[in-house]
Each structure stands twice: as structure tokens, then as C-alpha cells.
Amino acid sequence: MINYQNLADSVEFYKECGYTSIEVPWTVTEYVDNITKPADRVHYQLMHNKKCLVASGEQGFLYLYLKDYLPKGKFQTITPCFRDEPYDLFHEKCFMKNELIITDDTSEKMLNKIIDDARAFFAKIIGCSIDELQIINTSTDDTISLDINFKNIELGSYGIRETEFIKWIYGTGCAEPRLSKCKDIWKKSQGTM
């Protein structure tokens, strides 16, 4: 089940890290959806207006930047995420996520900072040490991207992207129910569940 307290705690944690909470649209144009959607995935497109349900708050941020509604800075938002993925214990068709974005400093130093902050939050919620959260390089020739994993389970993705109208750092602040499931795994491994 989605632990909404973890999402609320993430908002407070990242607020202390300098992120401003905002609301973003939960539907975006197909153009914006295609910026981050893998080519082999389908759109969750509404029939009445052809808008697409967001796969992440990242798309909602991008829509606001495309429309010139959002200044550069550090922001967080909570949205549902609609994904065309196979369903299993750690992958769902719809889940809730606190998404982070930075547009005023898109350096690799800032990318490392967002990852350090996320690892600290995940370790606090799970109850494990930061060292038990691995950083996995998922970069390609033309993108910088990294994942934070706990026992081979991805807790979040982070990277630097650029499109014709903005360059940004993206990151997962908290994804539910995956974070709760990782906490349960940790508690079982410690014999406290």
C-alpha cells in the first residue's frame, strides 16, 4: 500500500534541502510526454483532449517550463505516475512519487548533491545505513543518469537532461509503495518484522 506519510515526510525533508513545493499538471501534451518517455512505451492518452497522463512529475515541470510559467530554481511536486510497465512486486502501472527538479544549477556537482540528499532520506526511512544504498551508473553516450538501489531494487533515478527550451536535473524524492516495500525487506532481514 502507498504510505502517504513517507510522501509527506519527503516533502518536509526536501523543503529543508531548499526545494519549493509546487503543484504541476497531471496531464501534458504528447510533445512533452515524448521528452522523457522511452520510445517503446505507449502514451496514457485521454480521449477527450489528447493530453497524456504524466509518467512522472518531471513531465509536469517540463510542461510548466514550456509554457514559461515556472522560473528556474529547485522544486518538488507529488503526482501519480502512470507507466506502461510489466506489473510485478516492485513495478506498478500507477504509483505516487515526489519528483525533484533543479534548473538553476545543472552541474554534475549539483547532481551529486541531489543523490546524496536522496540517499540520506531513503536510509532514514528504511532504517539502513547510507552505504547500503548503491549508486548504479545507467548513463548512455548522450545522457548522464544514475539510479539509487537497495538490495538490487531501484529506489530512484537521477540525471541531467536537456531539451530545446530547458536543461535540468531530475530526481526521485520518494516513490510509493516501493520505498515502503524496501523498508519491509530491511525489517525482515533484521528480524524485526
Side-chain angles (χ1 to χ4, degrees), residues 5-15 76 98 121 173-174:
Q5 187 62 57
N6 284 347
L7 291 164
D9 290 346
S10 76
V11 169
E12 289 305 310
F13 180 89
Y14 293 108
K15 179 180 176 184
Q76 64 176 326
N98 182 358
F121 176 73
C174 176

Side-chain angles (χ1 to χ4, degrees), residues 73-142:
K74 290 173 69 173
F75 300 99
Q76 64 176 326
T77 193
I78 293 180
T79 66
C81 299
F82 299 92
R83 302 277 178 95
D84 175 31
E85 295 184 340
Y87 179 83
D88 63 30
L89 185 60
F90 297 103
H91 296 88
E92 309 214 5
K93 303 281 185 189
C94 183
F95 56 96
M96 295 297 291
K97 182 165 71 155
N98 182 358
E99 182 75 10
L100 311 172
I101 193 167
I102 303 173
T103 54
D104 58 351
D105 179 353
T106 56
S107 66
E108 287 190 44
K109 180 179 178 183
M110 188 56 72
L111 173 60
N112 290 329
K113 173 76 170 101
I114 197 174
I115 291 169
D116 289 345
D117 290 344
R119 288 176 78 205
F121 176 73
F122 296 149
K124 176 182 172 186
I125 297 298
I126 293 171
C128 66
S129 74
I130 286 176
D131 294 336
E132 293 178 80
L133 300 168
Q134 306 83 33
I135 299 173
I136 309 299
N137 189 335
T138 57
S139 299
T140 63
D141 290 340
D142 45 334

